[in-house]
């Protein structure tokens, strides 16, 4: 198939990445999940104007991504899907929140712009954190970790099927677009009047494909519990990994590291 | 010409009769009111090899899906090895039945061929060593061990088909149902498939447009036409009858047709 398959929110990308065998991949899924959740919590809890508080949190993706051999730009590309939404929500901040705020000696700026930047960076980092979890731990192992945390089987199954469903929808979209392009070779995009039928087709086809896959799984003895065959045992390195990150997140939460470093340089 | 629909007497019926299949007055209607099958009565013996043929839309896939319980009939009853197919008995029936879908895309869904073939055995809680043995054996049988780390969605149609069949073989089913297994296989893979089907000594039902494959693998042929059984009997008999084949939208197998190259005439019907 052509590039259509590669574009879109292609979850196979994450499937392939999660099959790697790096140090980060070898961490017990439960610990990876907990670290990722702590990271999300740290990012989300940064306050509205606390731009400097966000900088140390950038370290997490910057350390994990190379360690896990994830292609950074490709991953980043996949986070931009949320940007329009976040920008849509945050764009009014500069309009309504126009008090002046001092950011350095003598320089002040509209506070709305700061809260807008904080919002966008927070969203970007949060999505990045979640995607990193998918790329290093893999959906199957995340499901396994959730089961260890006693999340009901039903919810975990829903998560897995939704994930498969999106994958299938991507494949079906690619097929449909190819079929369309082949029969409308001179057209650049897709004609307005074809959108409705195409979208309808896509839904029906995806639903059919998902039903078939679900049946195929049931036929081969699937009982709602995904078994990856990989056996994880908890070892010292899992604890060490989780505790180091926990320590870092606590540090960042309670102390303004970048502010402190900044004041060292400016002597303020 | 009208063929009597006859029942083949089962030789081993009393001794080992677990893996037989019974259709008792089965009708199936799809939600959009398409009547796919009407009043099907069949008895398939333990160890029998049955080819199910018929034009597109005759109801072949529907028939197989009814045996697996993917579909449940509105009328009549299907019994597999003494157990009626109902929602409650599905799990135990599916332990014995292996089904390969008409479209292999429906069947291979894991990230690598290996993972996909291992999916079934793992669900039956085998040890990882046992899983490995079964998966290797199944992949070797299909001659695709070299594809084990490839993502299935990037395989060619034929390779995908082979992977789908391997995933069923790894479960060592007692009853094998294959929906058009030879479509998109190259000649060599098709040869292998025929040899494989012939090695499988348990009960098997194969739907196919490839009548030569049916001729080589099945001792009994059932012809479906517009959702009803119009013939049930020996393959040679029915394949000779060009006129009826034509009415049902079928063509004589190539091996039984006149030779275009050497001009020899074969089996000129009745
Ligand atoms: N999901 C479905 N919904 C409605 N009608 C269907 C569906 N699947 C198949 N049919 C119809 O049921 C009939 C039998 O289909 P099928 O069993 O797939 O035939 P075959 O496998 O012999 O080509 C056809 O008329 C087909 O159009
Ligand atoms: Mg069919």
């Amino acid at each position: 198939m052509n590039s259509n398959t590669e574009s879109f929110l292609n979850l196979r990308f994450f499937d392939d990445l999660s099959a790697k065998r790096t140090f980060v991949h070898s961490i017990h899924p439960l610990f990876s999940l907990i670290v990722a959740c702590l990271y999300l919590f740290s990012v989300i809890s940064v306050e509205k104007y606390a731009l400097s508080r966000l900088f140390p949190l950038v370290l997490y993706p910057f350390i994990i991504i190379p360690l896990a051999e994830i292609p950074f730009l490709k991953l980043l590309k996949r986070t931009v899907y949320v940007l329009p939404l976040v920008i849509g929500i945050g764009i009014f901040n500069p309009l309504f929140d126009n008090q002046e705020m001092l950011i350095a000696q003598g320089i002040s700026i509209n506070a709305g712009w700061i809260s807008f930047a904080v919002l966008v960076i927070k969203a970007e980092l949060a999505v990045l954190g979640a995607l990193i979890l998918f790329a290093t731990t893999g959906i199957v192992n995340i499901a396994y970790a959730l089961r260890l945390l006693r999340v009901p089987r039903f919810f975990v199954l829903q998560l897995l099927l939704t994930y498969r469903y999106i994958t299938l929808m991507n494949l079906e979209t690619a097929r449909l677009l190819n079929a369309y392009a082949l029969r409308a070779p001179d057209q650049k995009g897709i004609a307005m009047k074809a959108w409705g039928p195409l979208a309808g087709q896509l839904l029906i086809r995806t639903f059919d494909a998902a039903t078939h896959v679900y049946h195929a799984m049931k036929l081969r003895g699937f009982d709602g519990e995904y078994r990856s065959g990989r056996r994880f045992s908890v070892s010292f390195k899992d604890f060490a990994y989780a505790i180091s990150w926990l320590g870092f997140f606590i540090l960042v939460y309670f102390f303004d590291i970048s502010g402190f470093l900044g004041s060292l340089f400016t002597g303020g | 010409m009208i063929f009597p629909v006859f029942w083949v007497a089962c030789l081993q019926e009393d001794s080992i009769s677990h893996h037989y299949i019974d259709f008792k007055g089965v009708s199936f209607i799809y939600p959009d009111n398409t009547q796919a099958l009407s009043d099907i009565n069949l008895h398939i013996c333990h160890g029998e090899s049955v080819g199910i043929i018929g034009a597109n839309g005759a109801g072949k896939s529907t028939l197989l899906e009814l045996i697996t319980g993917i579909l449940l009939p509105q009328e009549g009853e299907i019994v597999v090895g003494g157990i009626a197919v109902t929602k409650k008995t599905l799990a135990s029936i599916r332990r014995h039945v292996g089904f390969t879908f008409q479209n292999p895309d429906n069947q291979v869904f894991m990230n690598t061929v290996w993972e996909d073939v291992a999916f079934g055995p793992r669900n039956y809680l085998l040890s990882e060593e046992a899983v490995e043995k079964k998966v290797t054996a199944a992949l070797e049988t299909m001659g695709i061990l070299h594809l084990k780390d490839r993502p299935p969605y990037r395989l060619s149609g034929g390779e995908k088909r082979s992977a789908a069949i391997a995933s069923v073989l790894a479960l060592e089913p007692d009853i094998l149902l294959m929906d058009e297994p030879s479509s998109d296989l190259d000649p060599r893979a098709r040869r292998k498939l025929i040899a494989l089907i012939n090695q499988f000594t348990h009960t098997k039902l194969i739907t196919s447009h490839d009548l030569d494959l049916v001729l080589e693998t099945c001792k009994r042929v059932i012809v479906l036409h517009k959702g009803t059984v119009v013939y049930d009997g020996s393959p040679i008999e029915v394949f000779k009858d060009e006129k009826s084949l034509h009415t049902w939208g079928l063509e004589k197998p190539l091996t039984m047709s006149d030779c275009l190259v050497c001009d020899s005439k074969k089996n000129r019907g009745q």
Side-chain angles (χ1 to χ4, degrees):
Chain A
M1 247 174 261
N2 73 8
S3 58
N4 282 333
T5 333
E6 300 304 326
S7 64
F8 219 61
L9 190 72
N10 189 355
L11 292 181
R12 294 281 188 179
F13 172 76
F14 296 102
D15 291 346
D16 289 347
L17 284 179
S18 65
K20 290 196 172 191
R21 294 265 185 273
T22 69
F23 168 73
V24 184
H25 289 81
S26 76
I27 300 293
H28 190 286
L30 185 59
F31 289 79
S32 304
L33 179 68
I34 291 172
V35 168
C37 290
L38 288 174
Y39 179 67
L40 289 188
F41 176 78
S42 308
V43 169
I44 291 167
S45 62
V46 168
E47 281 165 26
K48 206 173 163 193
Y49 299 116
L51 191 56
S52 67
R53 287 302 187 94
L54 277 172
F55 296 140
L57 288 171
V58 174
L59 265 181
Y60 176 75
F62 269 85
I63 290 174
I64 304 260
I65 288 175
L67 265 187
E69 297 172 7
I70 300 170
F72 179 66
L73 283 180
K74 283 190 182 167
L75 190 71
L76 198 65
K77 214 174 81 189
R78 285 172 168 78
T79 64
V80 300
Y81 289 95
V82 296
L83 278 184
L85 185 72
V86 177
I87 292 175
I89 296 172
I91 197 66
F92 295 110
N93 286 9
L95 290 180
F96 296 125
D97 185 5
N98 47 18
Q99 68 196 35
E100 293 291 303
M101 211 169 155
L102 197 69
I103 50 167
Q105 281 149 329
I107 309 168
S108 61
I109 192 170
N110 186 336
W113 283 111
I114 297 189
S115 61
F116 176 61
V118 168
L119 186 72
V120 171
I121 296 174
K122 267 166 80 170
E124 188 67 21
L125 288 181
V127 174
L128 209 53
L131 294 191
I132 286 173
L133 179 67
F134 277 102
T136 56
T137 308
I139 185 73
V140 176
N141 295 325
I142 295 174
Y144 166 71
L146 288 172
R147 291 289 293 139
L148 287 182
L149 289 173
R150 298 278 179 276
V151 174
R153 198 153 85 167
F154 172 76
F155 291 112
V156 178
L157 181 61
Q158 285 300 312
L159 175 78
L160 287 167
L161 291 181
T162 309
Y163 188 86
R164 285 287 158 233
Y165 187 80
I166 295 175
T167 313
L168 286 171
M169 187 154 91
N170 288 333
L171 288 177
E172 291 299 334
T173 312
R175 269 190 208 134
L176 212 60
L177 290 181
N178 282 344
Y180 183 88
L182 285 174
R183 285 193 281 163
D186 300 330
Q187 229 165 281
K188 277 251 166 56
I190 290 173
M192 221 31 176
K193 64 176 194 303
W195 272 105
L198 275 183
Q201 271 290 311
L202 184 65
L203 272 180
I204 294 171
R205 285 196 197 192
T206 309
F207 183 75
D208 269 1
T211 314
H212 277 126
V213 166
Y214 179 67
H215 283 311
M217 291 165 81
K218 294 290 278 182
L219 285 184
R220 287 198 273 154
F222 184 64
D223 56 0
E225 203 81 72
Y226 237 176
R227 297 173 183 88
S228 74
R230 255 173 94 184
R231 242 168 276 137
F232 290 95
S233 49
V234 179
S235 67
F236 173 71
K237 77 170 192 308
D238 301 311
F239 280 106
Y241 178 83
I243 287 174
S244 327
W245 280 119
L246 179 66
F248 176 68
F249 296 147
I250 289 177
L251 194 70
V252 170
Y253 185 80
F254 287 107
F255 302 99
D256 184 0
I257 299 180
S258 60
F260 173 68
L261 290 180
S263 65
L264 277 187
F265 287 115
T266 55
Chain B
M1 171 162 190
I2 297 162
F3 282 95
V5 173
F6 62 88
W7 292 41
V8 183
C10 297
L11 296 173
Q12 309 151 307
E13 201 64 320
D14 317 311
S15 47
I16 353 162
S17 59
H18 348 300
H19 309 311
Y20 68 85
I21 302 166
D22 258 336
F23 277 75
K24 299 176 188 164
V26 172
S27 296
F28 184 82
I29 303 165
Y30 277 101
D32 66 351
N33 285 330
T34 313
Q35 173 107 30
L37 292 174
S38 18
D39 194 25
I40 303 285
N41 289 288
L42 287 171
H43 181 78
I44 287 152
C45 310
H46 173 91
E48 223 180 351
S49 50
V50 182
I52 296 167
I53 62 176
N56 286 331
K60 306 181 293 293
S61 299
T62 308
L63 188 90
L64 291 192
E65 287 181 14
L66 281 167
I67 301 174
T68 64
I70 291 178
L71 306 174
L72 295 169
Q74 285 84 3
E75 261 175 61
E77 187 185 42
I78 296 152
V79 180
V80 178
I83 308 171
V85 182
T86 62
K87 277 216 166 90
K88 282 199 187 121
T89 58
L90 280 188
S92 53
I93 285 174
R94 285 170 175 181
R95 258 179 180 260
H96 300 284
V97 177
F99 177 50
T100 65
F101 284 73
Q102 180 165 355
N103 177 358
D105 274 331
N106 292 336
Q107 197 156 2
V108 284
F109 47 82
M110 297 293 278
N111 302 334
T112 66
V113 171
W114 176 279
E115 290 299 310
D116 203 89
V117 178
F119 179 82
R122 278 178 186 152
N123 282 335
Y124 292 114
L125 302 179
L126 300 175
S127 72
E128 202 50 28
E129 293 76 54
V131 169
E132 200 168 318
K133 260 193 206 144
K134 288 198 181 210
V135 176
T136 314
L139 289 176
E140 266 171 355
T141 309
M142 293 312 295
I144 52 166
L145 193 57
H146 60 287
L147 299 178
K148 70 183 170 68
D149 296 320
R150 296 272 299 276
Y153 65 102
R154 286 195 196 127
L155 299 179
S156 79
E159 289 170 334
K160 235 184 257 178
R161 170 82 54 190
S162 303
I165 297 174
S167 73
V168 166
L169 290 182
L171 287 171
E172 298 171 356
D174 302 309
I175 295 175
L176 185 59
L177 311 174
M178 297 179 123
D179 201 352
E180 308 200 7
S182 69
S183 52
D184 46 49
L185 288 185
D186 66 23
R188 184 189 288 185
R190 178 178 168 277
R191 263 287 128 224
K192 265 197 203 139
L193 175 72
I194 291 176
L196 180 92
I197 295 175
N198 283 330
Q199 270 168 34
F200 186 86
T201 52
H202 305 287
T203 313
K204 58 205 167 200
L205 265 77
I206 298 157
T207 79
S208 192
H209 289 298
D210 181 350
L211 298 193
D212 291 285
L213 175 130
V214 171
L215 193 61
E216 284 191 57
T217 55
C218 300
K219 297 216 170 63
R220 174 176 168 196
V221 161
I222 292 167
V223 181
L224 286 180
H225 183 57
K226 296 186 177 160
T228 57
V229 176
V230 288
Y231 176 89
D232 183 351
S234 115
I236 303 279
E237 283 299 314
V238 68
F239 290 155
K240 273 194 218 160
D241 182 358
E242 265 176 270
K243 217 173 122 221
S244 301
L245 284 180
H246 187 76
T247 345
W248 303 325
L250 295 169
E251 296 252 338
K252 220 177 190 184
L254 287 174
T255 41
M256 285 178 67
S257 303
D258 300 339
C259 178
L260 295 172
V261 182
C262 60
D263 231 16
S264 78
K265 303 259 187 245
K266 286 183 193 167
N267 308 311
R268 278 266 76 175
Q270 274 97 338

